[in-house]
């Protein structure tokens, strides 16, 4: 089994969308209360994931599906989830992301990738959108014949906006970064833990605020 397959079983915990949690000041990352995590490699075939996140005044649960062709030249991810504000109330969110591995070094132990995503949610005529774009830098190492570990960082910039029937907020944005750890615990099962931090969006504009923690489990449904 190749090192790429070993260490990319948990190659994504999706973080989609921006959503309103009452006011523009409550908007978090691509999906509220879920970090934007991106590894430097793609896992050929189909992978499923279930995720949990916790951020500033909100928590989230989400499911995701990722697919990459046999040569793992890119990976498409899509997901949806439910965000619940600490003050009460919940709403749904969905989105997609494209990541492209760019270059590997040190016999494949080090890798780089670029990625971009979009997320949308709507409630009571108000639509929230988020567009994170960034790079990923990762290191991976095999643990025996069937397991592996990967650590990575992903600096990115998020642009966010709000639109409604009678509402048009200025665009917001912030430079952020996330760090993640993927561990293959079984040949087709991986666990991911990650954290996002960085600058907050300016007051009066939508965008990420505060630190965000996330954990997820993934399953490689189809290996190529």
């Amino acid at each position: 089994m190749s090192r790429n397959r070993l260490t990319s079983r948990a190659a994504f915990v999706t973080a989609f969308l921006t959503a309103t949690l009452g006011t523009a000041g409550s908007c978090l990352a691509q999906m509220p209360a879920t970090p934007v995590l991106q590894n430097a490699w793609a896992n050929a075939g189909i992978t499923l994931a279930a995720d949990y996140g916790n951020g500033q005044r909100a928590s989230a649960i989400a499911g995701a599906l990722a697919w990459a062709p046999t040569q793992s030249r890119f990976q498409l991810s899509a997901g949806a989830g439910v965000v619940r504000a600490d003050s009460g109330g919940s709403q749904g969110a969905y989105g997609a992301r494209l990541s492209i591995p760019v270059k590997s070094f040190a016999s494949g132990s080090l890798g780089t990738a670029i990625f971009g995503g979009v997320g949308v949610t709507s409630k009571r005529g108000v639509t929230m959108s988020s567009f994170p774009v960034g790079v990923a830098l990762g290191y991976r190492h095999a643990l025996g014949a069937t397991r592996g570990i990967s650590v990575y960082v992903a600096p990115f910039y998020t642009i966010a906006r709000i639109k409604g029937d009678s509402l048009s907020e200025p665009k917001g944005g912030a430079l952020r970064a996330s760090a993640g750890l993927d561990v293959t615990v079984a040949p087709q099962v991986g666990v991911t833990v990650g954290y996002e931090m960085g600058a907050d969006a300016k007051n009066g504009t939508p965008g990420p605020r505060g630190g965000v923690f996330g954990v997820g489990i993934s399953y490689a449904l189809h290996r190529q």
Side-chain angles (χ1 to χ4, degrees):
M1 184 178 296
S2 68
R3 178 182 294 175
N4 180 66
R5 291 179 180 176
L6 283 171
T7 55
S8 58
R9 294 302 178 199
F12 71 102
V13 165
T14 52
F16 293 103
L17 333 168
T18 299
T20 303
L21 301 178
T23 66
S26 299
C27 297
L28 297 174
Q30 194 179 339
M31 177 173 172
T34 310
V36 175
L37 298 178
Q38 181 62 57
N39 207 325
W41 294 277
N43 182 37
I46 300 172
T47 306
L48 304 176
D51 315 315
Y52 169 80
N54 190 280
Q56 191 179 56
R57 300 188 295 276
S59 60
I61 56 173
L65 170 69
W67 174 81
T70 302
Q71 299 302 319
S72 300
R73 294 177 178 174
F74 64 88
Q75 181 166 282
L76 293 170
S77 303
V82 176
V83 180
R84 181 177 297 275
D86 293 346
S87 58
S90 62
Q91 60 185 293
Y94 61 91
R97 184 187 301 171
L98 170 67
S99 63
I100 303 174
V102 176
K103 185 73 175 178
S104 293
F105 307 90
S107 300
S109 295
L110 302 176
T112 61
I114 57 176
F115 66 90
V118 57
V120 178
T121 188
S122 181
K123 184 177 182 180
R124 297 177 182 175
V126 178
T127 299
M128 301 292 301
S129 302
S130 180
F131 307 89
V133 178
V135 299
L137 310 172
Y139 167 79
R140 60 187 179 180
H141 181 72
L143 301 175
T146 60
R147 297 185 300 122
I149 186 171
S150 177
V151 294
Y152 50 92
V153 294
F156 63 93
Y157 188 81
T158 293
I159 299 173
R161 65 182 182 180
I162 305 175
K163 284 188 176 182
D165 295 337
S166 60
L167 174 67
S168 181
E169 294 286 341
K171 291 182 180 179
L175 182 63
R176 309 277 287 180
S178 61
L181 169 68
D182 293 347
V183 180
T184 308
V185 296
Q188 291 177 260
V189 180
V191 174
T192 295
V193 178
Y195 189 77
E196 177 193 320
M197 68 195 91
D200 293 346
K202 295 181 179 180
N203 291 335
T205 65
R209 286 174 172 80
V212 191
F213 169 79
V215 60
I217 184 169
S218 60
Y219 178 76
L221 183 66
H222 175 62
R223 293 184 291 175
Q224 297 182 353

